[in-house]
Structures are given as C-alpha cells and as structure tokens.
Amino acid sequence: MKERSEVLEQDSWDLTPLYVSPERWEEEYQTCVGESNPFKKLLSYKNRLKEGPGICLECLELTMNIDRKLSKLHTYAHLKSDEDAAHPEHKTREGRAKMLYFEFQHAAAWIEPELLQLSDKAIETLLKDQKVAPYRFYLEKIFRLKAHTLSIEQEELLALSSKALQAPREIFSAYNNADISFDPIADGEGTEHPLSHGRYLLYMQSKDRVLRKNAFEGIHKQYQNFENTIAEALQGQVQTHLFRAKARRYPTCLEAALFPHRIDTKVYFSLLETVKEHIDVMHRYISFRKEYFKLDAVHGYDMHVSCAPEVELKFDFETAIDLVIDAVGVLGKEYQEILKQGLKEQRWVDRYENARKRTGAYSSGCYDSYPYILMNYQGTLSDVLTLAHEAGHSMHSFLSNRHQPYHYAQYTIFVAEVASTFNEELVFRALLKQLKSPQEKVFLINKKLDAIRATLFRQTLFAEFELKIHTLAEEGVPLTPSLFKTLYKELNALYYGPDFCHDDAIQYECFRIPHFYTNFYVYQYATGISAAQALVNKVLQDKNPAPYLKFLSSGSSHYSIDLLQQAGVDMLTKKPVALLIDEFKRLFQELQGYMQR
Ligand SMILES: [Zn+2]
C-alpha cells in the first residue's frame, strides 16, 4: 500500500483553502489561547443576560464567532489526522484542536441555562426585539425547553451526574471495541480466516455459505459469552434515559428524545405501523430467496448474498464522477456545476486508500471550508453509490453554508441522510437505464432491495425493539437477558416471516448493536430513506427541483419536519414510508421478472 507521501496530488483533497500550511494553522491557533483567549471575554457576559436584548445579542455573536473559528481549526486538524493516523504531528494537532473545543464548550455551558432562567416577560421582550431577529428561531428552540428545565441547583446536579450516566455506554464500547476478540473461522475448504467487526460484513457477502455461517456464529458467540454483562449495560443505558426523562418531566423516554427537535411521536409510531402493515412483502422476499438459493431456511447469514454473484462491475474514479454528475442533472445546471467543480478542479475528495488512512467514507467540513469527502475508492458498484451518497451530503452542506448564517447552517440528524440517499437513488436509476444485460440488472436491483431492507425494514425492527424495552422499563418491568432475547427473537419472526430461520444465534444480535446506546436514533435512518425516495419521485414528477433545492439551502433555519413539508414530504403521514415500500415491491417484481427469463 502507498505511503501518504506517495499519494498523487490530484488524488488527494486540497486543504490549502482552509490553511495554506500547518504554520498558518498554528498562527490561528495561537490567537485562541493564552492572553488572547476569547473565552475570557465570553465569561464576562455571565449573569448579565437579564440586562436585555443588547447584551444577549453581543453574547450570542461572540459565541458564534468563537465556534466558527474553532470549528475551522478542528476541521483542518481532523482531516489531516485522517490522512495518516500514525503521523505524530497530525495527532498532536488534532488533540490540541479537540481540547480547545472542549474548553470552549465548558466556557459556554452556562449560556443556555441562563437564558432559560429569564422571566417570561424578559423572554417576550427578547424575542420581539428587532436586533435579535436573526437569532429568533435559534432562541425559540431554546425557550421551547423551558417547561423541561429545572432550577439552577437542580440543573447543576444533573450536569454533575452526566459523566456517571455515560458508564453503560462506555462499558459496552470498551467491550465491543477493545476487549472482544474472535477466533479465526474456516471457509468451505477448511482454510482459516481472521474474524473482526470490519471483516464480518465482507464475509456476509461471500458466496461460500460455510464461511458465512462460521462468521455469523463466531461473531455472536462472543456476545453470548458475555450476555449477562452486556444485558446489564443495555438495561443500565435504558435506565439513564428513563432517569433523564423523569427528571425533566417528560411523560415517556420517547417523548424526551423527540421533543427537543419538535418531532411528533406520531412520526415514530406511523413508521412502525406502516412497515408492519406491509410486512408480508418482506416475508415474500425471504421466501423467494429461500427458493432461489435452494435453502432449508434463510438464515441470518444468507441475507447479504447477491442473486447475481458472478457479476463484477468496475468503474474508475473519473467514470464514477461523470456518472454522479450526469445523474444529478435533474437538479439543474447550477447544482451540477458546483458539484463538478468540487469533485474535479477544487479537489474536495481524498480518493484512494493509503497506509494508515482512515477507513470507510464520510463528508466533512465547516462553514469556512469546502465540504470535503474522504473515500477509500476501489471501483465497485458500492463505491460509486458511496461517492454519490457523500456528494449528496457535501452539496447539502455547501448550499446551506452559502445561504444561511453560521448559526443555521448545520442541518439536523433527522434530515442528514435525505440528501445523501437522494443522490444514491438518482445514480441507481441512471445505472439501471445504462446497464444492458439482465444479469447486471439483477445485480443492481438486488443491491437496491438489500439497501431498502437494511435501511427501512431492519432499522424499523431496531426502532420497535428500542421502543419496547423503554416502555417496559417505564412500566417497572426488570430488563433481563432472557427478556431482551425473547423480544428480539419475536421481532425477527414478525419482520422476516416463517421462512427465516429463528435459531438461537439471531437473538444475541440485540447485544451487538452499538446504536442501542444512542437514545432513539435508528428510526431516523428509516425516515431519512423514505423522505429521500418521496422527494426523488416528486422532483422527477413535477420536473421542478426548486422546492428540494430550497430544502438543501435551509440548514436548520426551521424545524426539520417543517423543512421537509415545505419541500413536499409530510413525515406526519404514512405516505412517504408506504411509497418506499411500494418501490420495494415494484423492484422485487422486476427482479423476479429478470430471473424468470
Ligand atoms: Zn450518510
């Protein structure tokens, strides 16, 4: 593998618009520490917000300016460090940037609680003040939490508890990332292979069923071995959610998680209901795979294998760029041109693997940088779709940064996966037109069906599990290992139907999912892909990308649900999810059509 120093300039991202050199970074860093430390000035506003809108405005603007400067410092530092994890200078720089951010968060931690202590009269005056108008929605979001905010002493106590309350997640993470180890596994010919989290998904796609089975069982064995410990961590995590919900006077854990972003719990419930109303299509899909692969039953390790495993599509990077740019043509010339420049001349992308480079892919940047993309491009179909995906994120960031002030530029998690999935869908459609052989079409459609299964159906299963365990905890039912396992097994039977094998290994999967330690998070994958699909349909049908482009330019200037509604998708109804399921049905039929030929 290439060393970082051997990577060609045209294959690497151009970080010079951020800082021309590490020395320039250092100069800017020095303006934030020591005598010139801007945090000191920020602290001078403490206990003064009640003096009126003028002071509040000064304080907010100073906070945003510092935040903006630090996020620029941090962006450069983390991008550099991701180029080569073992580079000592990069590592130190990233550590310093992180530390600075941490100090800032600490120095600014009093602002929201102090705003929330203002009297109703003072809040009203503040929100009506013209000078403060650019921050009105920002402030409204904070004040919305007033009913769930405690007295200063109680808030301090809560803040004091937060480190201790992280223990369940830290325990799971320590086990899952550090202590866990897997025995090597044998393939169909008896050759041994190392097993790890990273290799697991690769093995799941292998044509060798023995290898898949051994990988599946090998992974889950290590969760079974520690099931009491992990179940304790998971139930502890649920208890921390319950504690916070009760302390802040929310009726349920779900309500506590969704309220701050003004997401109606109806969004959550309607996702679960809609998927289950149509769950027979997933059962039929599983039955179809059982028949096609001539299996006794479809096991957990039979889900990721392609129905056209002999197809190998390869795309060089330039071809992938052209494919993505062509596919997003429906979004107009300007969108296309910005993306083209970004992917080509401006070099947003760090293209290929090199020694000790961060694995996977992401889009990352800040208000004052390009929206950079890290890839480990190998030329597979998945890589092309990943490029489309990250380019979607990057364009969302680019447009929101261009059109919004700093404090509204960053979009929320709830809408984060919309723009990325939107572009993936466009590239999928373009490829489906372009590829001619039935085998290639089968390969592509299979890929899409699997993506919908994994993102809509599976994440909804997770969401339902999460809701169930929280509801039981609210009712005072002790969450034991056997309760977790039984619930998880039942849900798998419900979602995957009679031809899915409900053997013992599958029930330990609930002890393997790190997202269960992030409060009511996974449902957003399912709602995100549904919203994206609905928006693609709408843009193509109306032949008008304007409302969608406006959404991409809106950052977090309104609540996510409202932004989507303005773009034409109502997540409070069942329609977007039902639409995606219809698409799944249609593609499933098309797949069967090609295979019967
Ligand atoms: Zn993404």
Side-chain angles (χ1 to χ4, degrees), residues 400-464:
S400 284
N401 287 345
R402 174 184 270 187
H403 294 278
Q404 296 298 327
Y406 183 72
H407 54 284
Y408 293 141
Q410 218 166 30
Y411 42 80
T412 64
I413 301 285
F414 188 78
V415 296
E417 292 305 329
V418 173
S420 52
T421 324
F422 186 102
N423 282 13
E424 255 188 86
E425 173 68 14
L426 289 180
V427 169
F428 166 75
R429 290 188 189 205
L431 272 171
L432 196 57
K433 269 194 202 142
Q434 208 176 314
L435 296 176
K436 290 288 173 264
S437 89
Q439 275 307 70
E440 286 175 344
K441 283 187 191 282
V442 166
F443 182 76
L444 189 63
I445 295 173
N446 190 147
K447 186 116 202 139
K448 183 74 190 176
L449 286 172
D450 200 45
I452 302 177
R453 180 192 65 76
T455 316
L456 177 70
F457 291 94
R458 181 172 157 87
Q459 300 298 333
T460 305
L461 186 161
F462 287 172
E464 185 158 1

Side-chain angles (χ1 to χ4, degrees), residues 209 212-213 217 286-287 289-302 497-503:
R209 196 172 190 221
R212 296 201 310 265
K213 179 175 191 283
E217 286 172 357
I286 298 290
S287 305
R289 289 182 68 92
K290 177 185 152 185
E291 236 170 78
Y292 177 76
F293 290 107
K294 300 189 175 62
L295 305 172
D296 51 320
V298 176
H299 287 252
Y301 47 83
D302 296 321
D499 284 327
F500 185 75
C501 176
H502 309 287
D503 59 7

